[in-house]
Amino acid sequence: MSRDSPRVGVDYPGSDAALRAWFPTDAACLDYLDWLRWPEGFRCPICRGEQAWKLDDGRWSCGRCGRRVSATANTIFHGTRTPLTVWFAAAWMMVSQKHGISALGLKRTLAIGSEQTAWAMLHRYRTAMVRPGRERLGGVVEVDETVFGAPAPGRRGRGAANKTIVEIAVEQGDHGIGRCRMQVIEKIDTAAIREFLLAHVEPGATVLTDGFRSYGPACGSDYEHRPEPVGPSGMQAHELLPAVHRVAALAKRWLLGTHQGGVKAQHLQAYLDEFTFRFNRRHSRSRGMLFYRLLEHAVQSERRTYRSLTADSASGTRRSPTPPPADKRVRPPSLAGAPLDRPWRSES
């Protein structure tokens, strides 16, 4: 198998039937994760030693420090009690279907013991969908904000109460909409917008916005700012910034359709990351490629306990990776009795 140009049927399965044929056992799944994590050969995560022996249980015994290391150690699969065959099936359902799958749907389809377990599996995958150092958007980029939350009386749009604000950037492609980025922000001001732009838009790009006064200072000298005020134009906002409004509408429709609006505000960023992962790869010729990329990211991502998943802040910022203790294999706490997400309905 080659990592330079992954091919369907060679580096990843191309169909659901092929998935079952490739990964009939946990040992086959572990062998695949082993190849994804160490494509150039085993490298001990403790001492960086390269000499090792494969044990009968699929782990490696480092010839330098003597540690026994599994391909799942300190990844999102760390200490899991769920068979890897179920993890692989969940990943396939998550990326092979246009609208993904909900925790309840996954529980029913794979006969998982509890909805909490299914939700935790999907959420761990969501934490692996943002690749560190990914390329920023470039060219002509539309930028605007929207609000997510249940319909409520009072002011609409900017300044609405009990809403979650999401900043969105979308490339204008040569043949339609390009890539997108979405991030939860605490408030709409110059500092928050500028932080979003620097994180997701390449300096030198042309930024299209509405006439909101904070966008000009946020762009500064790093971007070519082209404001399109709605009032003087005589046009609607979705006509001036069609790409960003289309992406916002699709994301809200997905949350209402697949997840029935049952998403807590503090977990919204992870769901937006899932939407972005699939949306930016919507033209992929093989859905198996998404499965390959997701597992590739998963074995490079830090382990997450259920408690850390449920404790994520509403700001949408990700915690810095904290190296686990080198001398312990920490098992996540039991999922029994853990709280489920309660309904949180998206505004259409």
Side-chain angles (χ1 to χ4, degrees), residues 6-315:
R7 293 174 294 168
V8 61
V10 176
D11 301 298
Y12 55 86
S15 66
D16 183 69
L19 177 80
R20 293 193 295 270
W22 275 46
F23 309 112
T25 64
D26 275 14
C29 297
L30 188 62
D31 185 64
Y32 191 70
L33 294 179
D34 189 281
W35 170 70
L36 288 175
R37 184 169 184 179
W38 299 298
E40 305 300 328
F42 175 80
R43 179 68 65 86
C44 179
I46 308 301
C47 69
R48 309 307 296 170
E50 298 182 15
Q51 185 179 11
W53 294 267
K54 198 73 173 286
L55 303 176
D56 292 339
D57 61 2
R59 291 183 296 170
W60 291 88
S61 178
C62 179
R64 184 175 177 181
C65 68
R67 300 282 184 179
R68 294 187 176 187
V69 181
S70 170
T72 62
N74 303 326
T75 70
I76 67 169
F77 307 107
H78 185 101
T80 180
R81 298 180 179 91
T82 305
L84 289 178
T85 52
V86 177
W87 276 95
F88 276 42
W92 183 267
M93 292 178 184
M94 198 175 192
V95 298
S96 64
Q97 302 181 72
K98 181 178 179 181
H99 300 296
I101 191 168
S102 66
L104 182 59
L106 187 69
K107 172 185 177 295
R108 291 171 174 171
T109 303
L110 298 182
I112 295 174
S114 70
E115 189 176 349
Q116 290 97 331
T117 300
W119 179 86
M121 291 174 64
L122 294 178
H123 215 61
R124 285 187 174 95
Y125 275 131
R126 292 182 187 112
T127 65
M129 286 183 166
V130 177
R131 176 171 57 85
R134 62 182 178 177
E135 297 80 8
R136 289 178 286 186
L137 307 183
V140 180
V141 182
E142 295 181 14
V143 179
D144 200 4
E145 78 284 338
T146 189
V147 292
F148 286 71
R155 183 175 179 178
R156 297 175 59 86
R158 293 187 179 112
N162 301 319
K163 303 289 185 179
T164 302
I165 308 168
V166 176
E167 194 73 21
I168 306 175
V170 184
E171 286 178 330
Q172 288 187 351
D174 295 333
H175 304 286
I177 299 176
R179 299 172 297 162
C180 75
R181 295 284 188 270
M182 310 178 77
Q183 181 177 317
V184 174
I185 59 176
E186 294 185 3
K187 58 181 179 179
I188 310 173
D189 59 13
T190 300
I193 295 173
R194 180 165 178 78
E195 182 181 357
F196 171 82
L197 290 173
L198 292 175
H200 300 290
V201 182
E202 194 70 33
T206 299
V207 175
L208 304 182
T209 71
D210 59 16
F212 187 52
R213 60 181 180 273
S214 293
Y215 281 110
C219 289
S221 60
D222 295 291
Y223 304 95
E224 179 186 343
H225 182 216
R226 285 168 48 186
E228 298 282 354
V230 176
S233 70
M235 302 173 66
Q236 297 296 319
H238 69 272
E239 295 175 312
L240 293 172
L241 301 171
V244 74
H245 281 80
R246 173 67 62 84
V247 169
L250 290 174
K252 293 177 181 181
R253 187 183 306 171
W254 170 67
L255 289 174
L256 283 173
T258 299
H259 301 285
Q260 301 296 302
V263 176
K264 281 186 175 180
Q266 62 262 39
H267 298 310
L268 178 60
Q269 182 62 56
Y271 285 87
L272 296 179
D273 290 340
E274 179 188 348
F275 174 86
T276 300
F277 179 89
R278 241 190 332 264
F279 182 85
N280 289 347
R281 295 165 176 82
R282 65 194 183 280
H283 297 307
S284 176
R285 290 177 295 178
S286 174
R287 307 309 291 177
M289 174 63 84
L290 277 67
F291 171 81
Y292 169 86
R293 292 302 182 196
L294 178 56
L295 290 184
E296 185 182 42
H297 295 175
V299 294
Q300 302 299 331
S301 299
E302 64 173 341
R303 78 170 183 229
R304 297 295 302 272
T305 64
Y306 185 82
R307 183 175 300 175
S308 72
L309 293 175
T310 57
D312 283 343
S313 65
S315 65

